């Protein structure tokens, strides 16, 4: 029986290799006559003696094939042979990758060899069937008081961190990676400056965080296709562990740079720019990528995506699209960061859409009451600072003034401070009770 199956498998193998030739290179795009292939297939472009570079089929122009290279196009010339592989990009995944920093192809960036015993997986997969996704009913600890207390995240929830540059996104991600209640972390660093990758690993993540983390990085100097594939490969690795029954904490910094990379490819292929220069393929790609995370019947991926907001404009196209896809958003406020308030989370502009369904009633009541008092104070902060408000004019305002410094103190946390979910909730409830007594 096994021999018959083997013969059948051999009969179905495609024993032919298909080739084409490069006709021209325009900007980022290689145009070739042949080979026979499909959108998304990986091809080899032979550029010298025993040298070849990878490229992906991204479109067609009349009878020619449009290829986007994964590396620079310096050595590619008319007449270079293009060899079809007949399959999309595949990477390897497994438990022995923990602690390693990988590139978009899943290869260690330090030049070492991949460990043995890994499983080959596709980098691009379909999101889980909506009817097979279990509802989110359990909370997950992230170790940040402001989030655990006021913006509780559920196991399998997808949340965005929205902020301008230099407001503390990477530091916050490092805190979460070190303190989260997940079994394993998968972090995608997309479009980062070259120096920031090592700085994030050594300063923000630390040795303790790296022990249970897999990092996939594609720096800003790499081609657009490498940056996109790094996002897909990191998501595929997270999916692999989810299918093994793990609870995964997945973080991507940043989804905005993935969108920018897709825009570069779209414009090179000939797509028309639409909203602020972004091509239609960007808005088609984002839901496909972001919906891949979450729960399935085997495990969970709790996902945190950072979104760079241009000029702190929370309504720019990518921020607006991502906010509509995700299950909540955390806004980092530059004004708070300038005051030395870390993490600079503005709890009044942030929301977790699932908090009401996953926390205890006492926790929810305390969070809502304290948030209301915090809002009351911030609305009249200018009047209070210039002395235009006198105590006794409003009982609610007086109460808000008493609570404000205590709430502000609760929301701040040193980057190396570790606090469990239970401790955060207890501090939150105690803060409300102490205020009521006074």
């Amino acid at each position: 029986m096994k021999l018959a199956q083997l013969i059948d498998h051999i009969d179905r193998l495609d024993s032919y290799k298909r080739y084409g030739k490069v006709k021209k290179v325009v900007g980022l795009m290689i145009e070739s006559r042949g080979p026979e292939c499909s959108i998304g297939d990986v091809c080899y472009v032979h550029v010298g003696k025993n040298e070849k570079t990878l490229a992906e089929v991204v479109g067609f122009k009349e009878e020619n094939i449009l290829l986007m290279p994964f590396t620079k196009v310096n050595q590619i010339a008319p007449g270079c042979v293009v060899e079809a592989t007949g399959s999309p990009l595949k990477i390897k995944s497994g438990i022995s990758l923990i602690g390693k920093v990988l590139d978009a192809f899943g290869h260690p960036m330090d030049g070492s060899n991949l460990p043995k015993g890994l499983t080959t997986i596709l980098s691009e997969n379909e999101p889980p069937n909506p009817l097979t996704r279990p509802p989110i009913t359990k909370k997950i600890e992230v170790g940040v008081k402001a989030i655990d207390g006021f913006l509780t995240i559920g196991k399998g929830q997808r949340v965005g961190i929205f902020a301008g540059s230099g407001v503390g996104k990477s530091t916050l991600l490092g805190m979460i990676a070190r303190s989260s209640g997940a079994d394993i972390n998968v972090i995608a660093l997309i479009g980062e400056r070259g120096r920031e990758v090592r700085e994030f690993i050594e300063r923000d993540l630390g040795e303790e965080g790296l022990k249970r983390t897999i990092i996939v990085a594609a720096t800003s100097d790499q081609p657009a296709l490498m940056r996109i594939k790094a996002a897909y490969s990191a998501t595929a690795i997270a999916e692999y562990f989810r299918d093994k029954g793990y609870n995964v904490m997945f973080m991507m910094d940043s989804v905005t740079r993935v969108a920018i990379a897709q825009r570069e490819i779209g414009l090179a292929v000939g797509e028309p720019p639409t909203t602020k220069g972004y091509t239609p393929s960007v808005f088609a790609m984002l839901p496909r990528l972001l919906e891949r995370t979450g729960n399935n019947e085997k495990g969970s991926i709790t996902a945190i995506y950072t979104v760079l907001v241009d000029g702190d404009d929370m309504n720019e196209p990518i921020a607006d699209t991502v906010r509509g896809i995700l299950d909540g958003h955390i806004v980092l406020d530059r004004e708070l960061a300038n005051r030395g308030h870390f993490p600079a989370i503005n709890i009044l502009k942030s929301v977790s859409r699932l908090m009401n369904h996953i926390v205890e009633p006492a926790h929810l009541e305390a969070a809502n009451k304290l948030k209301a008092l915090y809002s009351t104070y911030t609305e009249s902060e200018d009047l209070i600072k210039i002395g235009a408000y006198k105590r006794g004019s409003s009982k609610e305002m007086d109460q808000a003034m008493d609570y404000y410094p205590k709430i502000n103190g609760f929301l701040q946390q040193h980057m190396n401070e570790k606090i469990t979910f239970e401790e955060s909730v207890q501090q939150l409830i105690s803060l409300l009770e102490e205020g009521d007594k006074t």
Side-chain angles (χ1 to χ4, degrees), residues 85-107:
T85 64
S87 68
L89 181 66
K90 294 178 181 178
I91 60 169
K92 291 183 178 292
S93 185
I95 200 74
S96 53
L97 288 180
I98 294 175
K100 294 196 175 292
V101 183
L102 311 173
D103 62 14
F105 302 125
H107 299 149

Side-chain angles (χ1 to χ4, degrees), residues 159-175:
V159 179
I161 295 178
F162 293 74
S165 56
V167 188
K169 297 185 302 298
S170 297
T171 308
L172 182 57
L173 290 182
M175 280 182 70

Side-chain angles (χ1 to χ4, degrees), residues 101-104 109 187-190 197 215-219 222 230:
V101 183
L102 311 173
D103 62 14
M109 293 187 74
I187 302 177
L189 301 176
I190 312 298
V197 174
I215 296 175
V216 180
T219 51
Q222 292 181 309

Side-chain angles (χ1 to χ4, degrees), residues 167-186:
V167 188
K169 297 185 302 298
S170 297
T171 308
L172 182 57
L173 290 182
M175 280 182 70
I176 294 171
R178 291 195 305 271
S179 307
S180 78
D183 301 322
I184 185 172
N185 302 314
V186 178

Side-chain angles (χ1 to χ4, degrees), residues 40-284:
D41 280 0
V42 172
C43 294
Y44 292 115
V45 182
H46 295 261
V47 294
K49 191 175 182 180
N50 298 324
E51 288 185 41
K52 53 189 178 183
T53 185
L54 275 175
E56 183 177 296
V57 179
V58 294
F60 303 99
K61 185 177 181 182
E62 296 174 352
E63 295 180 1
N64 292 342
I65 291 167
L66 300 178
L67 298 159
M68 179 73 73
F70 283 95
T71 54
K72 294 178 181 177
V73 295
N74 297 1
Q75 295 177 289
I76 297 173
C80 283
V81 174
V82 180
E83 177 189 342
T85 64
S87 68
L89 181 66
K90 294 178 181 178
I91 60 169
K92 291 183 178 292
S93 185
I95 200 74
S96 53
L97 288 180
I98 294 175
K100 294 196 175 292
V101 183
L102 311 173
D103 62 14
F105 302 125
H107 299 149
M109 293 187 74
D110 59 5
S112 62
N113 294 324
L114 278 171
K116 293 182 179 179
L118 300 176
T119 304
T120 301
I121 57 174
L122 288 170
S123 70
E124 191 169 353
N125 299 300
E126 291 298 317
N129 186 313
L131 297 183
T132 65
R133 287 183 184 265
I136 298 170
T137 56
K138 296 179 181 178
K139 51 192 174 288
I140 189 168
E141 178 182 309
V142 299
V144 180
K145 288 190 293 182
I147 298 175
D148 284 340
F150 286 98
L151 304 163
T152 308
I153 295 175
K155 194 176 289 184
Q157 186 173 347
R158 298 162 303 134
V159 179
I161 295 178
F162 293 74
S165 56
V167 188
K169 297 185 302 298
S170 297
T171 308
L172 182 57
L173 290 182
M175 280 182 70
I176 294 171
R178 291 195 305 271
S179 307
S180 78
D183 301 322
I184 185 172
N185 302 314
V186 178
I187 302 177
L189 301 176
I190 312 298
E192 292 284 350
R193 302 174 187 91
R195 67 169 179 83
E196 288 182 334
V197 174
R198 186 166 179 177
E199 283 184 8
F200 174 80
I201 295 166
E202 294 181 357
R203 185 183 61 195
D204 297 327
L205 187 60
E207 186 179 344
E208 181 187 353
L210 190 59
K211 284 179 181 177
R212 59 192 191 105
T213 300
I214 299 170
I215 296 175
V216 180
T219 51
S220 58
D221 60 296
Q222 292 181 309
L225 194 58
M226 283 286 276
R227 283 174 267 150
I228 288 178
K229 290 303 175 184
Y232 288 160
S233 296
T235 306
I237 291 170
E239 290 170 327
Y240 169 84
F241 285 103
R242 176 181 63 188
D243 291 343
K244 293 291 182 183
Y246 288 87
N247 295 314
V248 183
M249 176 64 74
F250 178 73
M251 289 176 261
M252 185 182 290
D253 184 17
S254 70
V255 71
T256 306
R257 293 189 179 115
V258 178
I260 290 170
Q262 181 62 45
R263 177 176 66 183
E264 287 180 35
I265 293 174
L267 291 172
V269 172
E271 283 189 79
T274 52
T275 312
K276 287 198 174 180
Y278 288 101
T279 56
S281 62
V282 174
F283 301 102

